[in-house]
Amino acid sequence: MHSYSLIAPAKINLYLEIIGNRPDGFHELAMILQSIELADIIDLEMRDDKSFLLHCDHTQVPVDGSNLAYKAAELMAGEFPEAFAKYGGLDITISKNIPVAAGLAGGSSNAAAVLVGIDLLWNLGLTQSELGELGARLGSDVPFCILGGTAIATGRGEQLAPLPYLEDIYIVLAKYRSLEVSTAGAYKSYRQEYGHTYLRDTESLAARAAAVHSGEMVKAILQKNPQEIAQKLHNDLEKVILPTYPQVRELRETFSQMGILGTMMSGSGPSVFAICASKTQAEEVKLQMRNRFPNPDLELFVTKMSHRGIHVDGQ
Ligand code: ATP
């Protein structure tokens, strides 16, 4: 094959707890991540020369070396120089559907797709865990984006324990196009305000991370109970983002008045999602949100939870 088209799904956080500092400067986290059907499409096509050329017509997405998809290609070329010499460079085309800088892991998912696609194009035969290890070097969310489905993520978010997958749970997603939140900035603010509450000794950190495995959210997921899942949503970063961004708070408050099962900001925001009881309710909630917020800057999506990570289009 000389080309592949890959589906790169977004993720939401059903649970995000910040439990302490790590020696590497990152936060120690306990999260539950969930793939959704909203996805970017990444087309990879072999070139006759040794260059990686990025194409994306979305104004908020860089097409230079700062794009995480480009970094993924460079990483593969560096790790597998013989395959790179044999197969050469690539045209990488990103068709962007996932809102940018939204807490939905758009960039991470694009990078994950490039790793999976190059593995296929260069016949490397890497395992899921080998791909995950490479992905973790690019970003904490990349290993989950490769795996997909529903998973507990600890450490920086790169240590994964898959859970039984959830399907046919519909969600509405809201994000102001022009409102971007830096993930690093959100965690920095949290450290400044709540750093004094962090667990400090290694044993307590490990115990808290382990506790998520037997926590209420995992029980709800094992029961595949959307009502319970929606009740147990949790995101520590809301404590710093909601007071700073009244627009995000307003979206969340409005969702919660619409008879939905539950609502929460995803990751570092500013996207907010609402878990709905049915597809019909999700469509209705989207309509009501649009009437309430006619501002075209607000992007609204109906999507649903998915069990798939990066996959080849049509498979
Ligand atoms: P995460 O949830 O992993 O923190 P996010 O959804 O908050 O990610 P992204 O959509 O990945 O954020 O974008 C964060 C920033 O990264 C953007 O401001 C953009 O300039 C840059 N970026 C680099 N590569 C990409 C990419 N492939 N897609 C989108 N943004 C990218």
Side-chain angles (χ1 to χ4, degrees), residues 56-68:
C56 181
D57 55 13
H58 194 297
T59 51
Q60 289 163 294
V61 178
V63 284
D64 58 14
S66 69
N67 193 303
L68 216 48

Side-chain angles (χ1 to χ4, degrees), residues 114-129:
V114 170
L115 296 181
V116 171
I118 290 183
D119 175 52
L120 293 169
L121 283 168
W122 294 358
N123 296 305
L124 297 170
L126 298 174
T127 62
Q128 178 99 281
S129 96

Side-chain angles (χ1 to χ4, degrees), residues 20-29 136 139-140 155-156 187 191 198:
N21 283 316
R22 295 164 53 89
D24 60 10
F26 285 91
H27 276 99
E28 190 72 31
L29 304 172
S140 308
R156 290 190 284 129
Y187 279 101
R191 183 178 278 131
Y198 288 2

Side-chain angles (χ1 to χ4, degrees), residues 1-60:
M1 292 281 275
H2 285 265
S3 65
Y4 274 101
S5 187
L6 294 127
I7 306 295
K11 63 87 184 148
I12 54 170
N13 296 72
L14 299 177
Y15 188 88
L16 191 163
E17 185 185 354
I18 299 176
I19 54 187
N21 283 316
R22 295 164 53 89
D24 60 10
F26 285 91
H27 276 99
E28 190 72 31
L29 304 172
M31 301 191 286
I32 299 176
L33 303 175
Q34 173 65 53
S35 300
I36 58 176
E37 284 200 344
L38 179 68
D40 292 339
I41 300 167
I42 310 297
D43 287 301
L44 301 180
E45 188 156 4
M46 283 189 188
R47 290 177 59 84
D48 293 334
D49 60 19
K50 292 275 180 297
S51 50
F52 295 117
L53 278 194
L54 213 57
H55 314 275
C56 181
D57 55 13
H58 194 297
T59 51
Q60 289 163 294

Side-chain angles (χ1 to χ4, degrees), residues 285-302:
V285 165
K286 181 184 166 189
L287 214 64
Q288 285 181 35
M289 286 294 279
R290 180 51 73 210
N291 290 338
R292 173 77 176 70
F293 302 99
N295 182 352
D297 192 47
L298 182 69
E299 296 179 280
L300 289 164
F301 305 87
V302 169

Side-chain angles (χ1 to χ4, degrees), residues 11 40 60-62 66-69 94 96 99-108 110-111 141 180-181 183 268-269:
K11 63 87 184 148
D40 292 339
Q60 289 163 294
V61 178
S66 69
N67 193 303
L68 216 48
I94 302 176
K96 204 82 195 152
V100 176
L104 298 170
S108 302
N110 295 174
D141 285 341
E180 296 193 11
V181 168
T183 303
S268 53

